[in-house]
Amino acid sequence: MSTQRTNLFDFDFEALQAYLETMGEKPYRAKQLMQWMYQRNVIAFDDMSDISKTLRARLKNEACMDLPAVQQEMLSTDGTCKWLFELHDGNRIETVYIPEANRGTLCISSQVGCALDCSFCATGRQGFNRNLSVSEIIGQLWLAVNMLASNPKTKDQRITNVVMMGMGEPLLNYSKLVPSLNLMLDDRSYGLSKRRVTVSTSGVVPAMDRLTADVDVSLAVSLHAPNNALRDELVPINKKYPIKELMDACWRYINTGDRKKRVLFEYVMLAGVNDQPAQARELVSLLRDFPGKVNLIPFNPFELSGYKRSSNASVARFTKILTDGGILTLTRTTRGDDIDAACGQLAGDITDRSKRYIRFAEPRFGEQFQ
Ligand code: SAH
Ligand code: SF4
């Protein structure tokens, strides 16, 4: 049974090296294996011609290279692709590819559902089921690369950027997030630039600090409100880590390491809720001296959300106040609308919805990450 074997997609370079050492193998084998898996996309031990026959036989016996199963591929009229992947336990997750003029971005999920319950997010509304494993996180990238290549319509598309902005709160799956990021950055696997790998968080402050210390990637923060009263309502984790603590963690991120960094602040535009001129002015005061930029996201509606998308005029008015206040501001173009692939619309499919209610009895937020 493959489930009892060691899944090599669960290892970053160091972990793979350690595993091979327990088999009495030389460390350089890890590099060879990673190149086969991630650069040549070979996932049959028999095809790995420079690996000795004896090691191949042992690996076939003890290890596997298991990935989620592709259930469905959807191609939007604007070129956006969405895949529905089925996991070994029947849960389903979604991954989205967004082609742009000079880059291709893959939006990856980190959990099945999400426990944080932001009021405007379809994933949050669906509740939390479980964390993804490393093979399920990096597997989304592996599968997307290979699915794009195998479809004549998308074969020339490349993935240059990865954003952890799919389903789930990546920092609440910390121990699986970090090896996955390592594999994205490692030259022996994908070799993506740290500027092009972004972790988006709703503000799990202690885990933000850990990430700052452990791996150098780009940071996006889901702010969505300029003050605590409103943010408490929209992003409930704010009650635990209010704006001041969040901004302090952002400063620590900026001040760590020697490269010039910026934080991307995400701000979903909800009509009449957080899109008023006074709120824009408050946001200017909050961010004026911070090396960041603001990404306004038009709200993507879903059934029973209770919110409406801000009008183009409100978005333009809001943008002008921010820009006049010296804040670099972009509006995210909504992509993949026709296939429900836009931000916050990813819902996958949870096999056991009853788990949604268990989380209230569990330690919340910060305590949850290992
Ligand atoms: N959990 C992480 C990352 C996943 S969500 C986080 O919250 O940052 C990626 C982005 O989409 C976040 O900024 C999130 O707030 C936003 N989002 C969620 N639901 C949305 C919706 N219905 N419309 C627009 N953006 C949404
Ligand atoms: Fe979770 Fe992010 Fe959705 Fe909030 S916005 S519920 S943190 S996925």
Side-chain angles (χ1 to χ4, degrees), residues 120-121 165-166 168-169 200-201 222 224 266 268 297 299-300 343-344:
F120 51 84
C121 173
M165 292 186 189
E169 168 51 54
S200 175
T201 180
S222 292
H224 306 313
E266 296 161 283
V268 63
I297 315 173
F299 170 64
N300 293 306
C343 301

Side-chain angles (χ1 to χ4, degrees), residues 37-93:
M37 291 164 69
Y38 296 103
Q39 297 184 348
R40 299 191 216 173
N41 303 321
V42 166
I43 51 169
F45 291 119
D46 282 336
D47 295 341
M48 299 180 170
S49 51
D50 60 1
I51 309 265
S52 73
K53 279 217 170 95
T54 356
L55 176 57
R56 274 191 260 162
R58 276 191 75 185
L59 286 170
K60 269 170 81 172
N61 213 22
E62 293 170 29
C64 62
M65 290 174 282
D66 279 354
L67 292 164
V70 183
Q71 277 241 314
Q72 202 183 356
E73 176 175 67
M74 280 156 278
L75 202 52
S76 159
T77 48
D78 69 13
T80 300
C81 293
K82 180 168 92 167
W83 297 279
L84 185 65
F85 296 127
E86 188 172 67
L87 311 178
H88 62 82
D89 59 0
N91 274 306
R92 290 179 198 154
I93 51 166

Side-chain angles (χ1 to χ4, degrees), residues 114 116-118 120-121 123-124 168-169 202:
C114 182
L116 295 190
D117 214 12
C118 301
F120 51 84
C121 173
T123 309
E169 168 51 54
S202 53

Side-chain angles (χ1 to χ4, degrees), residues 28-274:
Y28 72 86
R29 292 284 184 212
K31 181 175 173 186
Q32 283 182 317
L33 269 171
M34 286 218 343
Q35 286 172 332
W36 280 112
M37 291 164 69
Y38 296 103
Q39 297 184 348
R40 299 191 216 173
N41 303 321
V42 166
I43 51 169
F45 291 119
D46 282 336
D47 295 341
M48 299 180 170
S49 51
D50 60 1
I51 309 265
S52 73
K53 279 217 170 95
T54 356
L55 176 57
R56 274 191 260 162
R58 276 191 75 185
L59 286 170
K60 269 170 81 172
N61 213 22
E62 293 170 29
C64 62
M65 290 174 282
D66 279 354
L67 292 164
V70 183
Q71 277 241 314
Q72 202 183 356
E73 176 175 67
M74 280 156 278
L75 202 52
S76 159
T77 48
D78 69 13
T80 300
C81 293
K82 180 168 92 167
W83 297 279
L84 185 65
F85 296 127
E86 188 172 67
L87 311 178
H88 62 82
D89 59 0
N91 274 306
R92 290 179 198 154
I93 51 166
E94 294 179 329
T95 307
V96 177
Y97 172 75
I98 307 134
E100 284 170 285
N102 48 7
R103 63 178 170 193
T105 304
L106 192 71
C107 179
I108 290 187
S109 297
S110 56
Q111 299 182 310
V112 183
C114 182
L116 295 190
D117 214 12
C118 301
S119 56
F120 51 84
C121 173
T123 309
R125 292 280 113 160
Q126 156 197 69
F128 174 72
N129 183 281
R130 72 167 172 86
N131 281 326
L132 297 185
S133 62
V134 176
S135 56
E136 290 163 342
I137 299 174
I138 204 65
Q140 295 170 64
L141 178 51
W142 194 98
L143 287 164
V145 166
N146 286 277
M147 293 298 290
L148 287 174
S150 64
N151 184 334
K153 284 191 188 144
T154 56
K155 68 177 178 21
D156 297 324
Q157 304 283 4
R158 294 288 172 269
I159 296 170
T160 58
N161 294 54
V162 169
V163 292
M164 297 301 304
M165 292 186 189
M167 299 164 62
E169 168 51 54
L171 292 186
L172 288 182
N173 186 10
Y174 193 82
S175 65
K176 303 298 186 286
L177 172 72
V178 169
S180 309
L181 296 175
N182 289 341
L183 286 166
M184 292 170 201
L185 300 174
D186 195 325
D187 284 336
R188 290 160 291 218
S189 34
Y190 290 110
L192 292 174
S193 145
K194 52 192 164 223
R195 280 176 201 80
R196 291 170 175 271
V197 174
T198 302
V199 172
S200 175
T201 180
S202 53
V204 189
V205 166
M208 287 170 71
D209 285 330
R210 260 181 100 180
L211 187 72
T212 296
D214 289 347
V215 46
D216 189 9
V217 287
S218 298
L219 180 68
V221 169
S222 292
L223 191 57
H224 306 313
N227 58 58
N228 285 322
L230 183 58
R231 195 161 189 271
D232 280 354
E233 226 177 84
L234 302 179
V235 185
I237 196 179
N238 193 67
K239 293 181 196 143
K240 182 139 184 153
Y241 305 114
I243 292 176
K244 167 86 173 69
E245 287 180 38
L246 178 60
M247 292 307 295
D248 287 350
C250 290
W251 272 115
R252 291 191 289 274
Y253 166 79
I254 292 291
N255 292 328
T256 301
D258 45 19
R259 77 179 170 107
K260 200 166 167 285
K261 299 191 225 172
R262 269 179 197 281
V263 171
L264 181 73
F265 292 100
E266 296 161 283
Y267 196 101
V268 63
M269 293 296 280
L270 304 165
V273 175
N274 65 353

